[in-house]
Amino acid sequence: MALTDTAVRNAKPRDSEYKLADGGGLYLLVTPSGGRLWRLKYRIHGLEKKLSLGRYPDLTLSAARKQRDNAREAVANGDDPAAAKRRQRIVAKIAVGTTFGDVALEYIDKCEREGKSPATVVKLRWSREWLLPAIGLRPVDQIEPHEVLAVLKRQETAGSLETAKRTRAFASRVFRYAVATARAKSDPASLLLGAVASPKAKHYAAIIDAKRAGDLLRAINAYGGQPATRLALELLPHVFVRPGELRQAEWSELDFDAAVWRVPASRMKKRREHVVPLSRQSFAILERARAITGSGRFIFPAIGNLERPLSENTFTQALRRMGFSAEEMTAHGFRAMASTLLNESGKWSPDAIERALAHKDSDQVRAAYHRGAHWNERVAMAQWWGDYLDTLRAGAAVLPFRSIVV
């Protein structure tokens, strides 16, 4: 017998839950706590399933019957109404943060969880800030290419070409993330590739002349600044790493017995561990540093704070104090100096030099092989390079490298 509004309204709780059937699989479940819940029982593909429709009196008898009829029609068409309801809940949950600003913040949080470096995360947040005034509050699926282009053009007009390039790339990644999480259909920023002027390639100033390199090494030895800064500058030419990788080096990363330094993947630009063989000269510099800072975490701590590494501008300021201008030498320039002089020597394979510089091979199969293939050569090269730097520092006559016929 079909239910009536009076029967539903007067349904009283009992010691255990019970059902009041209406027809077509629809029934009212009455719980001991007094809840009256509409449920629908149906079969699809031979399996019996149940669907929660709502709670009485929020959902009246007539409204529950309409939902029952809609669900039965869906079943007749081969659709599972319970599965459809789950999909709707997922879409509704995802759709809560639909503005570009919200999705961008969610994307940045994801990058942080994935282990992106703090410096990378900071740059992502900058990119988000650049876009917020124009499109931060706009629904991510309604943004048109011209809205992003307006931001890029303002940056281009101001001469910030590198910023414009990063802004477009960041916007594109956010839109692709929105597509992947069902909050957008397309990436409008991808259509803007090439819409603004490209920045000119920037090369770090570097001393690549052997005689001038000797002048630099002697200036470092005579540097009158903080001991930790001088020791870091002494070590930087020997190990080929990026300045930030050296500044944040920790004592726990060194294996004095094996004479190696293992730079963790989290601090490397390419996000993979980099092992540096230590020459006798590097080893001696680190032993001197250990006598000064060995009780702390960082090999080269900040002035007055053993729990923080040297600041980002320390090397640059020291080079300027020694008389080397920004047009002549930068902290990154030590890598170019090593690369140039090692290649000019003709003694070492280009692959060994590239591995020493932690450059990533674009060929993944080749990269997997070459990761360890040149270790012995790198060890020998590190010692040869340390000896060669000693020669340059001493000011001995520097003879041109002999051409090697292969």
Side-chain angles (χ1 to χ4, degrees):
M1 178 181 291
L3 289 173
T4 64
D5 287 324
T6 300
V8 173
R9 186 170 57 252
N10 294 335
K12 303 299 182 185
R14 300 174 185 173
D15 292 338
S16 59
E17 63 182 30
Y18 65 97
K19 303 173 183 177
L20 296 176
D22 181 61
L26 178 66
Y27 63 89
L28 185 73
L29 179 67
V30 184
T31 67
S33 62
R36 288 168 288 183
L37 312 172
W38 292 112
R39 298 286 188 267
L40 176 65
K41 183 169 63 176
Y42 64 97
R43 297 185 72 85
I44 185 167
H45 308 309
L47 298 175
E48 182 176 284
K49 292 194 172 185
K50 294 179 182 178
L51 177 65
S52 297
L53 301 180
R55 178 187 296 271
Y56 181 87
D58 297 334
L59 189 67
T60 63
L61 174 59
S62 61
R65 285 171 173 166
K66 287 181 181 178
Q67 288 200 23
R68 174 199 62 195
D69 295 340
N70 291 337
R72 288 171 64 85
E73 182 179 351
V75 170
N77 292 328
D79 297 326
D80 186 348
K85 189 172 183 179
R86 284 195 298 272
R87 288 195 298 270
Q88 290 171 359
R89 283 200 301 267
I90 293 172
V91 170
K93 184 177 181 181
I94 291 175
V96 170
T98 59
T99 67
F100 180 88
D102 290 336
V103 177
L105 188 59
E106 188 179 316
Y107 170 75
I108 294 171
D109 290 342
K110 170 180 166 292
C111 291
E112 202 163 10
R113 290 194 302 274
E114 291 173 343
K116 299 295 184 185
S117 70
T120 297
V121 173
V122 167
K123 290 175 183 177
L124 294 177
R125 294 191 187 281
W126 284 345
S127 297
R128 177 177 178 269
E129 292 297 322
W130 293 327
L131 289 160
L132 280 182
I135 60 174
L137 298 179
R138 295 271 290 124
V140 71
D141 63 337
Q142 295 180 22
I143 296 172
E144 299 289 339
H146 69 84
E147 296 178 78
V148 181
L149 180 61
V151 178
L152 304 184
K153 283 297 184 182
R154 284 196 295 272
Q155 293 173 334
E156 180 186 42
T157 301
S160 304
L161 301 183
E162 184 63 36
T163 298
K165 176 184 175 181
R166 290 182 181 178
T167 302
R168 192 214 63 81
F170 172 76
S172 186
R173 289 196 291 270
V174 172
F175 285 122
R176 292 201 302 271
Y177 176 70
V179 172
T181 54
R183 283 173 286 187
K185 298 293 185 183
S186 63
D187 168 18
S190 66
L191 303 175
L192 302 177
L193 190 62
V196 295
S198 299
K200 293 181 180 179
K202 179 181 177 181
H203 298 287
Y204 294 106
I207 291 173
I208 57 175
D209 172 72
K211 185 176 182 302
R212 187 57 174 156
D215 296 336
L216 173 61
L217 295 172
R218 287 190 292 276
I220 291 173
N221 265 86
Y223 181 64
Q226 290 293 322
T229 302
R230 186 181 69 252
L231 288 168
L233 283 169
E234 286 184 34
L235 184 60
L236 193 54
H238 288 273
V239 290
F240 315 149
V241 298
R242 298 171 181 86
E245 292 157 6
L246 181 68
R247 286 190 305 101
Q248 300 175 65
E250 301 182 18
W251 287 113
S252 61
E253 298 164 4
L254 295 179
D255 185 338
F256 279 94
D257 293 332
V260 297
W261 169 27
R262 296 183 178 277
V263 188
S266 59
R267 211 163 65 246
M268 293 299 297
K269 182 177 181 180
K270 301 301 182 182
R271 319 310 289 172
R272 66 181 183 190
E273 183 187 63
H274 181 55
V275 184
V276 180
L278 300 175
S279 64
R280 291 190 301 273
Q281 290 84 352
S282 298
F283 200 95
I285 295 168
L286 288 167
E287 285 286 16
R288 287 159 53 205
R290 184 156 63 170
I292 300 173
T293 67
S295 61
R297 171 186 171 189
F298 294 102
I299 300 175
F300 306 110
I303 300 171
N305 189 344
L306 294 178
E307 297 306 311
R308 291 181 55 193
L310 285 173
S311 69
E312 188 173 355
N313 294 322
T314 300
F315 295 148
T316 298
Q317 292 170 351
L319 288 169
R320 302 299 165 262
R321 288 180 61 184
M322 288 185 283
F324 296 91
S325 69
E327 290 71 33
E328 184 178 22
M329 188 61 182
T330 61
H332 265 278
F334 286 101
R335 286 164 56 81
M337 182 174 79
S339 177
T340 300
L341 295 178
L342 284 168
N343 276 295
E344 286 182 354
S345 76
K347 295 177 178 292
W348 314 103
S349 69
D351 283 327
I353 296 171
E354 289 299 289
R355 287 298 300 128
L357 293 166
H359 285 162
K360 188 174 181 180
D361 198 315
S362 58
D363 184 328
Q364 297 301 310
V365 175
R366 185 173 182 274
Y369 169 73
H370 280 274
R371 184 170 185 172
H374 295 281
W375 176 253
N376 291 336
E377 185 180 4
R378 285 183 57 203
V379 172
M381 182 173 69
Q383 188 53 58
W384 180 89
W385 178 245
D387 295 339
Y388 182 63
L389 291 179
D390 283 348
T391 300
L392 296 181
R393 185 184 298 105
V398 179
L399 300 177
F401 295 119
R402 280 190 310 164
S403 299
I404 294 180
V405 179
V406 180

